[in-house]
Amino acid sequence: MYSIEEYVCKSCSYLIDVEKSFSKKLVKKPIENVVLEIGQKGILDNTEYTVDAIVVRKYGIEIYWREYYLKDKKGDDAFLSESDGHWVLLYPVHTEDVKKKSSKIAELHTRNYRWYETTECSIHAAEGFFEEKLNFNLATYKEYVNGTNMISQEQSGSKNQYFAGKHISKHLVKKSFKLSHMPNYSGIGIVQPYYIDIKQAINILGIAGLFICLLQLYVYTSRTNTSVFQDTIKFEDVKNKEMVSKSFTLSGGSAPLKVSAHSEVDNSWANLQLSLVNESTNETVYTSKDIEQYHGYEDGENWSEGKTTEEFNLCGIAPGKYHFVISAEKQYAVGTSTSSHFVPSNEGVTISREASGIVDVVNNSTKESVAFGDIRTLEKDSSEIGKLVKQTFPNQNLDSLLTVNSVLESPPANKVSDDSTINIKATWLPVSFWNFTIILILMLAFFIICYWGRNVFNVSKWSNSSNSPYSKS
């Protein structure tokens, strides 16, 4: 049992001296933001406490905080302090346990605490039972902080007391005392922890990163480039229809499937439409790719664009059994495969015109060959080869000469021209490092943001202190 010196009458709100049994003064009743009641029980730090008293302290004109006096079954004291919705659980400590290492540093149980602020306050309201007489004069509070822990020094007259405190979650207070509502929450508490535990985040991200690296290494070393499909397809076989390929199996982790398409197009184009079908799920990945190659001669210069081979990746293809659905088409020349030739003599040039309209000019002496987009381009050309053409055929209509001297050429019956087919090759690549790299970059970015955010958080926490360890710029 413990002795009570004073108590505040619940009915009349007078402070009663127990020994002398008389009323000392009328005391304001704690009302605003007070959520606990006298006699209410709750469990904190695995100990059941009973609320014995409530004191509202005032600093300045309108700054208030609440202190709940707690008592366990053994009679030991604890204090629950709340300000702006932030909660701190405090225990009394012996004065000799706190060592002042300097005017700004105090030590408790080998741990250093930095002076945060000193405030003068008075009792604004109170109720409950008190083991010591209430002092309504100004009291000085000096707080020292280390992360989520603190030392609170209370000086009132000649009396000097120390308390060791730590942050406690408002959700835990609400659950422990079965409260229906909590005080309004604002700002950053003096010992409020950062929203993310940086040390724990480092451990989690480090272990996760190591696991991802080991998994990536295993998958990469167990896989090599593997050709899973290759075929040469005639355009006429897939004209206006689709062809289903043979099945092939992809084994291992999800990875890109590289597809290479080649056709000997010449001043023309071809188009490949390809669908990759998963035979187990019927899931289909569709793609279309153009193969184009053009060249010619214009304004005295040769030009070319495009290429006869195109490569592309189907990304993130899961292992399984697949087949391709293929369709393709190409640009066909209008009319027959007729070429027109005119060779006047062993001197000068040889001119030929292909079915596509391209005009080839060969210098018979140097064997230099130049291609022109059409006959008009050749007639306007002012280069050496153009001058040689005009010298070889002075005042003659080249278009008429080529038309008159036409010769029909057809490929041999047993030969398929190179541009009538398309070659398709699919290669199963090792697992891509792209997703792996993106994940690591995101993990690193998350850590950097958290680390930067913690610094901003701590600067804000110490912004109300006159002894902030962070420079104010």
Side-chain angles (χ1 to χ4, degrees):
M1 294 294 294
Y2 56 94
S3 60
I4 302 297
E5 289 197 14
E6 294 179 339
Y7 71 90
V8 177
C9 177
K10 188 175 182 180
S11 300
C12 63
S13 295
Y14 271 92
L15 179 64
I16 309 297
D17 186 306
V18 174
E19 183 180 354
K20 297 180 180 180
S21 299
F22 77 96
S23 302
K24 298 180 66 174
K25 63 179 299 184
L26 182 65
V27 181
K28 291 182 179 179
K29 186 175 182 179
I31 298 176
E32 187 177 1
N33 285 332
V34 173
V35 294
L36 300 181
E37 298 178 356
I38 303 299
Q40 193 168 358
K41 298 181 182 296
I43 298 176
L44 299 173
D45 277 355
N46 299 317
T47 302
E48 184 181 64
Y49 290 100
T50 302
V51 179
D52 273 4
I54 303 172
V55 172
V56 177
R57 297 188 182 273
K58 181 180 181 181
Y59 167 66
I61 299 177
E62 53 182 14
I63 298 177
Y64 302 90
W65 74 88
R66 286 142 289 279
E67 292 180 351
Y68 299 92
Y69 289 42
L70 308 178
K71 185 78 73 173
D72 66 10
K73 293 180 179 179
K74 297 179 180 180
D76 293 330
D77 294 320
F79 300 88
L80 196 57
S81 175
E82 177 271 316
S83 175
D84 293 329
H86 304 281
W87 295 82
V88 180
L89 181 62
L90 300 109
Y91 300 98
V93 294
H94 295 294
T95 303
E96 57 269 18
D97 290 339
V98 179
K99 300 178 176 61
K100 295 292 185 67
K101 301 182 72 173
S102 70
S103 60
K104 295 183 179 180
I105 302 296
E107 180 187 291
L108 175 64
H109 301 151
T110 70
R111 189 174 187 176
N112 290 333
Y113 294 77
R114 186 182 183 89
W115 170 52
Y116 184 87
E117 194 57 84
T118 301
T119 57
E120 292 184 340
C121 63
S122 59
I123 295 177
H124 174 73
E127 67 175 337
F129 304 89
F130 302 91
E131 295 181 73
E132 298 178 351
K133 295 183 183 296
L134 287 179
N135 188 345
F136 288 86
N137 296 324
L138 283 177
T140 301
Y141 277 76
K142 194 171 185 179
E143 287 95 9
Y144 299 84
V145 173
N146 184 327
T148 59
N149 296 87
M150 66 179 294
I151 300 171
S152 179
Q153 179 184 5
E154 179 185 351
Q155 291 180 310
S156 179
S158 61
K159 188 176 181 180
N160 186 29
Q161 287 182 297
Y162 286 95
F163 303 88
K166 64 178 180 179
H167 168 83
I168 185 168
S169 168
K170 65 176 183 179
H171 303 291
L172 179 58
V173 175
K174 183 178 182 180
K175 181 180 178 181
S176 298
F177 289 93
K178 299 180 175 58
L179 302 177
S180 59
H181 69 281
M182 299 293 284
N184 296 329
Y185 183 90
S186 64
I188 299 176
I190 187 173
V191 288
Q192 179 183 342
Y194 183 48
Y195 310 108
I196 296 173
D197 188 326
I198 295 297
K199 292 184 178 179
Q200 188 176 19
I202 292 175
N203 293 335
I204 294 174
L205 292 176
I207 293 173
L210 179 61
F211 178 76
I212 292 172
C213 289
L214 292 175
L215 181 62
Q216 179 75 11
L217 179 63
Y218 168 75
V219 174
Y220 181 77
T221 55
S222 62
R223 281 275 305 280
T224 57
N225 290 7
T226 304
S227 179
V228 295
F229 175 84
Q230 186 168 3
D231 199 2
T232 299
I233 300 169
K234 297 179 181 180
F235 284 105
E236 61 184 28
D237 292 340
V238 290
K239 185 178 181 181
N240 299 325
K241 58 184 178 181
E242 295 179 334
M243 184 187 80
V244 178
S245 73
K246 295 179 181 180
S247 298
F248 53 90
T249 301
L250 305 180
S251 302
S254 297
L257 183 65
K258 179 181 177 181
V259 179
S260 174
H262 174 81
S263 181
E264 290 293 338
V265 292
D266 186 17
N267 276 313
S268 61
W269 57 263
N271 174 262
L272 171 66
Q273 299 177 36
L274 196 68
S275 298
L276 178 66
V277 181
N278 188 316
E279 296 184 356
S280 299
T281 63
N282 286 326
E283 183 179 354
T284 302
V285 178
Y286 172 82
T287 187
S288 177
K289 180 63 67 173
D290 289 325
I291 304 173
E292 301 175 300
Q293 202 279 333
Y294 296 94
H295 60 85
Y297 185 87
E298 187 173 357
D299 296 332
E301 294 183 356
N302 289 310
W303 61 269
S304 64
E305 62 181 15
K307 53 186 177 179
T308 58
T309 300
E310 293 288 345
E311 294 181 346
F312 55 93
N313 288 343
L314 302 177
C315 298
I317 304 302
K321 193 173 184 180
Y322 293 85
H323 66 258
F324 283 124
V325 177
I326 305 167
S327 63
E329 60 178 339
K330 62 164 290 185
Q331 181 184 34
Y332 289 93
V334 180
T336 64
S337 57
T338 301
S339 294
S340 300
H341 300 271
F342 183 81
V343 185
S345 66
N346 293 329
E347 304 295 333
V349 296
T350 298
I351 302 177
S352 65
R353 180 165 59 189
E354 301 174 5
S356 62
I358 299 296
V359 178
D360 294 311
V361 180
V362 179
N363 188 322
N364 293 334
S365 299
T366 63
K367 302 303 180 183
E368 177 188 2
S369 177
V370 179
F372 295 86
D374 52 33
I375 197 68
R376 290 179 178 272
T377 303
L378 172 58
E379 291 174 342
K380 294 179 180 179
D381 183 60
S382 59
S383 66
E384 292 299 325
I385 196 73
K387 294 177 181 178
L388 188 57
V389 170
K390 292 180 175 63
Q391 292 175 4
T392 307
F393 309 105
N395 301 321
Q396 296 189 52
N397 189 309
L398 297 179
D399 185 61
S400 299
L401 289 173
L402 290 171
T403 302
V404 170
N405 293 276
S406 62
V407 179
L408 181 63
E409 295 180 345
S410 299
N414 60 349
K415 181 180 179 181
V416 178
S417 61
D418 291 336
D419 67 344
S420 66
T421 61
I422 185 169
N423 182 274
I424 303 171
K425 181 179 180 180
T427 305
W428 186 228
L429 300 178
V431 173
S432 172
F433 276 90
W434 179 247
N435 291 337
F436 163 74
T437 305
I438 287 295
I439 292 174
L440 291 185
I441 290 175
L442 290 176
M443 291 173 62
L444 179 60
F446 174 76
F447 173 75
I448 292 174
I449 291 173
C450 290
Y451 193 84
W452 171 80
R454 186 182 67 169
N455 185 69
V456 174
F457 176 87
N458 288 333
V459 170
S460 299
K461 177 193 284 190
W462 285 84
S463 61
N464 294 324
S465 169
S466 58
N467 188 37
S468 174
Y470 303 94
S471 61
K472 296 181 180 180
S473 56

